[in-house]
Amino acid sequence: MGLGAVDVRALATRHGVAPTKSKGQNFVVDPGTVTRIVRLAGVGPGDTVLEVGPGLGSLTVPLLSSGARVVAVELDERLAAALPGTVAEHLPGAVDRLHVVRGDATAVAAADLPLPPDALVANLPYNVAVPILLGVLRAVPSVRSGVVMVQSEVADRLCATPGGRVYGVPSVKLAWYAAARRVGSVAPTVFWPVPRVDSGLVGFERREPPAAEAPREDVFAVVDTAFAQRRKTLRQSLAPLAGSAAAAEAALLAAGVDPRERAERLDVTAFAAVADALRRGRAAFRGALQEDSP
């Protein structure tokens, strides 16, 4: 069960809502698309789904139809207030499985949610899709899997593997948390308003991060620094972080990485190894200074 174009436009008129580009709002008006997303997510009775940006409820109703509970995080006050009524109208009896949280999904925390969600299933706002996805995986550890709809080129970046043309910071950071794959494509015509780009569906399964002494923040700092100058060798690009090109080379060799390589050749495990080597190198330097001090 889903909302069609007539339903969505009628709801928008009733609640005085118009999609805004500043909030990245593009409402899905094709029931087949949202039904496919729910099927790909594999959610059902007993599951709790986190939906970010439910909008007018196009995906919320099919998620509830699966028997799952839904925790919907909505930034727009009018949309958040209207969602329970929409569910009551189109799926009587399911309102008790809907929990609406009014807030900014880019800063969501587990403590903000009334139930710990098992899955993230959402049509993410194009302009903040990557920060929301990575933020949820960082801040809500109960989320074990999910399917998200994002701009097509963003889907490609999130799922890219080392050596690929679009492999970059989002690819590595998502790989820290989860194994991801592209599970489908979506045409612009299923949205209102119709965007100028295609969309892609990204499925993910959480996994343990690479074994590392360095905390995630240190690993991500290495990733950000390495890709900031991706045309340079790692010896050159990591010099500012290491303190010098020589220190960067020493850390890379200690991590088993060729200093002449470039960032796009390393997977997340290699980046973790480099962060560990940099951390040990700084510790050794501090130890040498203490020994030399009177």
Side-chain angles (χ1 to χ4, degrees):
M1 178 182 294
L3 306 181
V6 173
D7 300 313
V8 173
R9 291 179 183 274
L11 285 167
T13 299
R14 182 189 309 170
H15 299 293
V17 172
T20 61
K21 186 175 181 180
S22 63
K23 294 181 180 178
Q25 291 173 328
N26 293 89
F27 300 137
V28 181
V29 295
D30 174 50
T33 297
V34 289
T35 300
R36 176 162 61 116
I37 292 171
V38 174
R39 184 179 68 251
L40 287 168
V43 296
D47 293 321
T48 300
V49 177
L50 174 62
E51 184 188 5
V52 171
L56 290 164
S58 301
L59 179 57
T60 313
V61 172
L63 284 170
L64 290 167
S65 296
S66 76
R69 295 177 294 270
V70 175
V71 177
V73 179
E74 176 57 60
L75 179 63
D76 190 302
E77 185 174 357
R78 291 172 300 172
L79 292 174
L83 191 58
T86 300
V87 170
E89 178 181 348
H90 292 272
L91 197 63
V95 178
D96 60 339
R97 289 187 279 111
L98 172 67
H99 304 268
V100 181
V101 177
R102 164 82 168 85
D104 184 353
T106 62
V108 69
D112 300 328
L113 307 177
L115 297 171
D118 311 298
L120 170 67
V121 184
N123 169 25
L124 295 178
Y126 280 169
N127 53 351
V128 287
V130 172
I132 288 176
L133 176 57
L134 296 178
V136 166
L137 287 170
R138 173 186 57 79
V140 190
S142 64
V143 170
R144 307 305 304 174
S145 65
V147 174
V148 294
M149 182 156 55
V150 297
Q151 190 172 333
S152 185
E153 65 178 42
V154 173
D156 290 340
R157 290 172 186 167
L158 288 169
C159 300
T161 55
R165 181 178 58 84
V166 297
Y167 182 73
V169 172
S171 323
V172 182
K173 290 185 177 180
L174 179 55
W176 173 269
Y177 298 107
R181 68 191 192 284
R182 184 160 178 156
V183 295
S185 299
V186 180
T189 51
V190 308
F191 295 98
W192 171 58
V194 177
R196 297 180 180 178
V197 295
D198 289 345
S199 297
L201 300 176
V202 175
F204 66 87
E205 295 281 344
R206 190 186 286 272
R207 63 185 178 193
E208 290 298 315
E213 300 171 10
R216 174 187 52 80
E217 293 82 2
D218 286 4
V219 179
F220 283 11
V222 173
V223 174
D224 289 334
T225 304
F227 279 102
Q229 302 181 74
R230 64 184 298 155
R231 293 187 178 181
K232 292 187 176 181
T233 66
L234 289 166
R235 182 184 189 276
Q236 295 173 302
S237 63
L238 292 179
L241 191 63
S244 68
E249 179 171 343
L252 288 161
L253 290 171
V257 175
D258 186 340
R260 297 168 296 179
E261 283 284 19
R262 290 175 169 77
E264 63 265 22
R265 305 298 302 181
L266 270 61
D267 63 12
V268 66
T269 301
F271 276 111
V274 173
D276 279 349
L278 286 169
R279 184 182 178 89
R280 290 193 295 269
R282 286 191 288 266
F285 179 70
R286 288 193 297 269
L289 286 179
Q290 290 173 357
E291 289 180 4
D292 292 341
S293 63

